[in-house]
Amino acid sequence: MRQKTILVIGGTGMLGKPVAQQLKADGFSVRILARSVEKARSLLGDGYEYVQGDYEDAESLKSAMQGCDGVHINIKGGPSEADYDRADHLGVKRIAEAAKTVGVGRVTLISAYAVSLEKADTPESRSKVKGEAALKSNGVPYTIFRASWFMETLPQFVQGKNISLIGKQIHRLHWIAAEDYARMVSKSYQTDETLNKEFYIFGPEAHTMGEAMEIYAKYKGVKVSSISTKMLSVLGLLTFNIELKSLAILMGYYERHGEDGSPEEANRLLGAPKVTLKEWCKKN
Ligand SMILES: NC(=O)c1ccc[n+]([C@@H]2O[C@H](COP(=O)([O-])OP(=O)(O)OC[C@H]3O[C@@H](n4cnc5c(N)ncnc54)[C@H](OP(=O)(O)O)[C@@H]3O)[C@@H](O)[C@H]2O)c1
């Protein structure tokens, strides 16, 4: 059988790299679209086809997609409202349009668990809702992965000897390891049952963010400290730090919105995630 070729856009990213690696391990031919081929090669190594390109440029997208059976989108916007729209909405739209023109068999997209029109009350969530809608209305076969919080994000909250719990995070979340998610994305390319669907990707256990940070803190020898979203926002304003302001908005969003949807269909078709937070902490 002919080896299928999948183009990964954002293959150097935190959540794109494990997908590229898993696709390769599962026997796909993996092409990486990268702004810097040198950087991508140094991160991913041999065994990939690298093409220089930019998702802002429709021509480079179409040329990179020639001969591809699928395109996986792993891109990220922010912290400004305009930049979320540029990436999560217009970037996804442009990639979907190029895929339709070239006749790619399917487009897969990472999204987030709380992405829905009713909950879209922040720049990032509004852009993601628009991006999903653009992909779904375009006509190219798609699969969307609405993933929960990734365990890989926990180190991003560490500063020195502390891990910061931002806001009142009361919702219990099914923390997911990137390796489980990557396996599920790759599996989705192995059956047509996954076409034109959105999957909720939830890890095996639920913990509030505070509980997850306590587990992480125990393994990594750090202490959990707390800050309100309001205080973080004020800090962002005082220091002219748009990243802090944007983080306060993001964490406010997760204070308000918990998980919805069910992982049942994803688990049945793609195999349920197995890696627990404790196992992940031990390994990483
Ligand atoms: N954090 C979570 O728990 C969570 C949960 C669900 C969903 N998500 C979503 O997952 C997505 C991916 O996140 P991530 O952490 O993997 O992001 P990331 O590490 O920032 O990766 C973004 C990727 O996009 C590439 N890129 C940026 N601009 C590009 C351009 N103009 N042309 C081509 N490639 C470009 C980057 O490549 P270079 O910079 O190397 O060029 C990089 O590979 C985000 O949308 C995020 O919201 C996150």
Side-chain angles (χ1 to χ4, degrees):
M1 210 171 74
R2 185 181 70 86
Q3 200 182 23
K4 285 188 176 166
T5 300
I6 313 297
L7 177 72
V8 179
I9 302 178
T12 57
M14 182 179 82
L15 302 172
K17 184 178 166 193
V19 169
Q21 289 171 323
Q22 186 64 55
L23 285 165
K24 178 168 154 290
D26 288 345
F28 291 96
S29 166
V30 183
R31 191 178 292 170
I32 307 287
L33 176 105
R35 292 184 288 186
S36 161
V37 166
E38 204 185 347
K39 173 186 169 186
R41 200 188 297 278
S42 73
L43 277 169
L44 284 156
D46 292 335
Y48 299 89
E49 184 188 351
Y50 294 98
V51 292
Q52 202 282 328
D54 191 313
Y55 70 70
E56 298 283 351
D57 171 20
E59 288 314 310
S60 83
L61 282 175
K62 283 188 255 176
S63 136
M65 287 179 195
Q66 295 299 327
C68 284
D69 300 280
V71 174
H72 178 66
I73 307 177
N74 184 82
I75 63 178
K76 186 177 183 172
S80 71
E81 175 147 18
D83 201 73
Y84 278 122
D85 196 59
R86 178 196 63 79
D88 290 327
H89 170 211
L90 299 176
V92 171
K93 184 167 185 266
R94 192 176 301 111
I95 294 166
E97 282 166 357
K100 176 94 187 294
T101 308
V102 172
V104 169
R106 73 174 75 185
V107 173
T108 53
L109 168 71
I110 183 157
S111 186
Y113 67 79
V115 171
S116 71
L117 199 53
E118 305 75 55
K119 293 181 176 176
D121 55 8
T122 58
E124 184 179 15
S125 57
R126 278 193 290 275
S127 305
K128 285 200 188 298
V129 165
K130 288 183 193 162
E132 280 197 9
L135 173 58
K136 281 155 89 173
S137 63
N138 157 294
V140 69
Y142 67 85
T143 309
I144 294 171
F145 298 92
R146 291 189 178 151
S148 192
W149 271 82
F150 279 91
M151 297 172 189
E152 280 72 10
T153 59
L154 285 167
Q156 296 171 1
F157 292 90
V158 175
Q159 261 202 326
K161 292 254 170 262
N162 289 301
I163 181 164
S164 303
L165 176 61
I166 304 166
K168 288 194 182 73
Q169 303 296 340
I170 56 163
H171 301 290
R172 298 182 78 234
L173 307 165
H174 289 84
W175 295 77
I176 175 90
E179 66 176 87
D180 269 329
Y181 155 74
R183 183 185 44 71
M184 293 169 91
V185 174
S186 178
K187 187 83 196 287
S188 78
Y189 277 97
Q190 298 166 47
T191 163
D192 284 348
E193 269 192 275
T194 51
L195 290 179
N196 302 324
K197 287 191 173 146
E198 299 98 47
F199 290 117
Y200 286 88
I201 305 297
F202 291 173
E205 295 174 344
H207 309 285
T208 64
M209 195 164 287
E211 289 164 356
M213 286 187 173
E214 288 294 350
I215 293 172
Y216 181 85
K218 239 181 230 162
Y219 280 91
K220 303 293 170 186
V222 290
K223 258 188 86 175
V224 180
S225 60
S226 302
I227 181 167
S228 69
T229 51
K230 204 166 179 188
M231 182 56 80
L232 190 68
S233 184
V234 170
L235 262 178
L237 275 175
L238 290 177
T239 55
F240 302 100
N241 186 332
I242 180 175
E243 304 240 348
L244 284 189
K245 220 181 135 220
S246 172
L247 184 60
I249 293 172
L250 180 83
M251 299 314 290
Y253 179 77
Y254 289 109
E255 276 183 326
R256 295 189 293 283
H257 307 300
E259 289 174 346
D260 56 14
S262 160
E264 192 275 325
E265 193 178 20
N267 291 352
R268 181 171 57 80
L269 291 174
L270 307 174
K274 290 192 174 63
V275 181
T276 64
L277 185 54
K278 282 184 184 164
E279 284 164 355
W280 184 87
C281 288
K282 266 186 224 161
K283 270 203 274 181
N284 291 275

